[in-house]
Every structure is written in structure tokens, then in C-alpha cells.
């Protein structure tokens, strides 16, 4: 682009430099562990375009440097959200992670924990109590109850007959 100056001795032409800047984009890599999925969501928690990653898959999408992305880990039936990968951009956050795209190819992994339902019936006699569970053979304690237990963990309880 050239600009002409008038009202000076003679006519002079000056070339003005034009600069074009591009904000770098980086690929966000998301892995959904076995038992759940990961998706991009808005502030209300509704799914939006971007990442929609099924259990056990790795998905990618491109984002500009410095933009914020909200990811939600969604556990499947009989699973609960475990954690985001340690040391990653979402480490220490709950099932919904708000991250800012850094100047490198970021990656996050969501893990899920398998759970089992344990049911107890004490309708004939006695009661059972312990961490996360309490049921017995009369009011006000129910005669049957159930609780979820993580893979590899045990509930400490005491049975009385």
C-alpha cells in the first residue's frame, strides 16, 4: 500500500509495511479411560462442538493458543469419575476441567473407577453397619440396603445376629 503526500515540494511516495499476525493453534489430545467418555461443554455443562471421546478412545481437536476449553468426564453405568492424569492440565480438578491451551500440544486423560453394587438383606434377624452402609432388622433402620463399592476396595462392616 502506498500513500501520496501533497502540499510538499514535489510528490513523494512512501511504502508502508503491512504486518499480518496469526495466532498459533495447537492440537489438544484427550483420552477417555475405560468406563466413561469425555466431551467439551459450555459453562452450563451442555455438550458443545469440539471433543466427543468415547470410552477407551483418544480424540483430538485444534484450539488457538490461550483459549479456554472446558472438558467434562462422563462416567458410564457402574463407573465413577476417578481423576485426570497426574501432572496434566486438569490434575486436581473434578469431573469438569477448565484448561487454557498452552504453547505446546497439550494432552489430558480421564480415568474412571469400576464400582460394584452390594446388597444386604437383614429382614430375618440382625443388622449390619460400617463405612457407607447401615441396615438392620427393624425401624428406623431398613431391613435391606445396598451400597456401591470401588474395584479393589472393601467396606468395613460389623454384622450382629
Amino acid at each position: 500500500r502506498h500513500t501520496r503526500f501533497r502540499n510538499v515540494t514535489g510528490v513523494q511516495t512512501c511504502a508502508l509495511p503491512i504486518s499480518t499476525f496469526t495466532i498459533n493453534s495447537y492440537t489438544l489430545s484427550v483420552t477417555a479411560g475405560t468406563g466413561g467418555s469425555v466431551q467439551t461443554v459450555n459453562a452450563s455443562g451442555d455438550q458443545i462442538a469440539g471433543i466427543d471421546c468415547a470410552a477407551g478412545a483418544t480424540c483430538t481437536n485444534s484450539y488457538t493458543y490461550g483459549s479456554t476449553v472446558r472438558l467434562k468426564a462422563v462416567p458410564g453405568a457402574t463407573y465413577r469419575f476417578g481423576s485426570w492424569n497426574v501432572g496434566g492440565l486438569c490434575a486436581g480438578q473434578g469431573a469438569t476441567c477448565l484448561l487454557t491451551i498452552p504453547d505446546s500440544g497439550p494432552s489430558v486423560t480421564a480415568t474412571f473407577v469400576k464400582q460394584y453394587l452390594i446388597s444386604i438383606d437383614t429382614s430375618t434377624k440382625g443388622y449390619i453397619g460400617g463405612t457407607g452402609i447401615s441396615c438392620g432388622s427393624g425401624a428406623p433402620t431398613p431391613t435391606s440396603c445396598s451400597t456401591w463399592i470401588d474395584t479393589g476396595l472393601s467396606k468395613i462392616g460389623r454384622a450382629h445376629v
Side-chain angles (χ1 to χ4, degrees), residues 1-2 15-21:
R1 180 174 178 168
H2 298 283
L16 299 176
I18 297 176
S19 299
T20 303
F21 297 94

Side-chain angles (χ1 to χ4, degrees), residues 5 8 11 13 20 46 51 59 66 73 76-77 95-96 118 120 127-128 130 151:
F5 293 95
V8 291
V11 176
T13 302
T20 303
D46 300 320
I51 299 287
C59 305
T96 300
I118 296 176
I120 300 167
Y127 69 91
I128 188 165
T151 301

Side-chain angles (χ1 to χ4, degrees), residues 5-123:
F5 293 95
R6 301 207 187 265
N7 299 324
V8 291
T9 305
V11 176
Q12 297 180 354
T13 302
C14 248
L16 299 176
I18 297 176
S19 299
T20 303
F21 297 94
T22 302
I23 297 175
N24 290 337
S25 290
Y26 297 96
T27 300
L28 171 64
S29 177
V30 176
T31 301
T34 300
S37 61
V38 177
Q39 51 195 224
T40 46
V41 295
N42 61 21
S44 301
D46 300 320
Q47 185 175 6
I48 58 174
I51 299 287
D52 188 9
C53 206
T58 297
C59 305
T60 61
N61 198 33
S62 183
Y63 295 94
T64 56
Y65 168 76
S67 62
T68 56
V69 178
R70 181 174 278 119
L71 297 173
K72 182 177 181 181
V74 181
T78 73
Y79 284 85
R80 69 171 178 78
F81 170 71
S83 64
W84 297 100
N85 55 315
V86 176
L89 297 170
C90 293
Q93 297 189 44
T96 300
C97 162
L98 184 62
L99 62 91
T100 301
I101 300 299
D103 59 354
S104 61
S107 67
V108 295
T109 300
T111 60
F112 300 90
V113 178
K114 176 72 174 154
Q115 294 190 306
Y116 296 92
L117 181 63
I118 296 176
S119 297
I120 300 167
D121 183 358
T122 59
S123 60

